Amino acid sequence: MNANHLLSIGAELGEGPVWIGDALWFVDIKRLHIYRYRPEGEALDRWDSPEMVGWVLPSRRGDLIAGLRSGPHRFSPEDGSFMPIATVDDDLPENRLNDAAIDAQGRIFFGTMDNAEISPSGCVYMLDSGNVQRTSVTSTIITNGPAIAPDCSHLFHVDTLARTITRHAIADDGSIGPAEPFLAFTGDEGHPDGAICDSEGGVWVGFYGGWAARRFAPDGTMTDAVSFPVSNVTKIAIGGPDGRTGYATTARQGLDAAALEAQPLAGDIFTFRVTVPAAPQVPANS
């Protein structure tokens, strides 16, 4: 299957796609932008963030939670304001938030990472009712995912540079169990990047430098592969009116002049159809 071009964005580091209500939300981390695309009317809106922003997710309060460099913030699209909820890694000023997901209880699990991609200072945290707790997931250089099984039984943690995905049991209180091997890649596929779970517990993964996104069944078997005309596929979202449209963010980051000339659509948004619909989107309890 081939992905289709949807939006010309030219993002330095497009990330965090998520379908909320009637719109696709996503960010450009390095250019400090938050985007909303509404297919009906083809309306594209943009907000500027005061810091690098890894993701936005819906809240029960009706606003959004944004993962800024310093920690999660409340974000109001109406006036573009940001209000801090908690500070994370304040002793590590080079760290930033990178990726996140909401579980069926409304808890946000999110990762941090060294923005220079050198130090293994990235951790996975849980935001629950306004309180942030560090989980037991092993520190890594680039944390991605986490993806959460729709029944809230497991968290899938992506260690991008190690090219591995581990599975962790989630206890009722949100504590995370030890790592169980799930997937490992040789490098020919690219680096596993953002990950999500669909309604059947399948894990969709974007591959940075891999020209593709792939879906893996809960037992690790690859079931779907989507090819892209750009190399850096960062993350997938599933949404649309029928919940069966796949969306993908991509990145220009790391591409030299020759690569950018060969990939004029790098950093844009792409779309494709999926067989298994999205898992229900639960708003955050914070």
Side-chain angles (χ1 to χ4, degrees), residues 25-36 45-53 56 66 68 73-77 79-83:
W25 291 79
F26 58 97
V27 303
D28 185 343
I29 294 176
K30 294 301 180 74
R31 291 181 178 164
L32 285 64
H33 295 326
I34 296 172
Y35 291 92
R36 177 180 63 193
D45 302 298
R46 194 191 85 187
W47 293 261
D48 294 332
S49 169
E51 302 172 4
M52 285 185 287
V53 54
V56 293
L68 271 59
H73 284 59
R74 293 200 172 284
F75 166 57
S76 171
D79 61 10
S81 63
F82 294 83
M83 183 177 69

Side-chain angles (χ1 to χ4, degrees), residues 154 156 165 167 181-184 200-203 215-223:
H154 290 88
F156 296 87
I165 302 178
R167 182 172 56 192
F182 181 63
L183 292 170
E200 292 184 356
V203 182
R215 180 188 184 271
F216 301 89
D219 66 359
T221 303
M222 190 178 76
T223 61

Side-chain angles (χ1 to χ4, degrees), residues 99-101 103 109-111 124 135 137 142-160 164-170 176-185 192-198 200-205 216-221 235:
D99 203 358
D103 76 359
F109 290 88
F110 64 91
V124 175
T135 75
V137 176
I142 301 178
T143 62
N144 261 301
I148 309 293
D151 63 0
C152 208
S153 60
H154 290 88
L155 175 150
F156 296 87
H157 173 248
V158 181
D159 184 334
T160 294
T164 61
I165 302 178
T166 50
R167 182 172 56 192
H168 305 252
I170 303 176
I176 303 301
E180 303 170 359
F182 181 63
L183 292 170
F185 304 95
D193 203 316
I196 64 166
C197 287
D198 61 25
E200 292 184 356
V203 182
W204 276 99
V205 184
F216 301 89
D219 66 359
T221 303
K235 191 173 182 179

Side-chain angles (χ1 to χ4, degrees), residues 83-135:
M83 183 177 69
I85 297 173
T87 300
V88 178
D89 290 351
D90 55 356
D91 59 331
L92 298 168
E94 300 305 315
N95 269 20
R96 63 171 174 82
L97 274 60
N98 192 50
D99 203 358
I102 305 176
D103 76 359
Q105 308 303 317
R107 300 172 295 207
I108 297 179
F109 290 88
F110 64 91
T112 61
M113 62 171 283
D114 174 20
N115 189 50
E117 302 178 10
I118 297 172
S119 173
S121 57
C123 301
V124 175
Y125 291 87
M126 177 180 69
L127 173 64
D128 185 11
S129 301
N131 299 308
V132 171
Q133 304 173 40
R134 179 173 171 173
T135 75

Side-chain angles (χ1 to χ4, degrees), residues 1 198 204 213-217 221-226 273-276:
M1 183 192 313
D198 61 25
W204 276 99
R214 300 179 178 93
R215 180 188 184 271
F216 301 89
T221 303
M222 190 178 76
T223 61
D224 300 85
V226 183
R273 296 292 290 172
V274 301
T275 302
V276 180

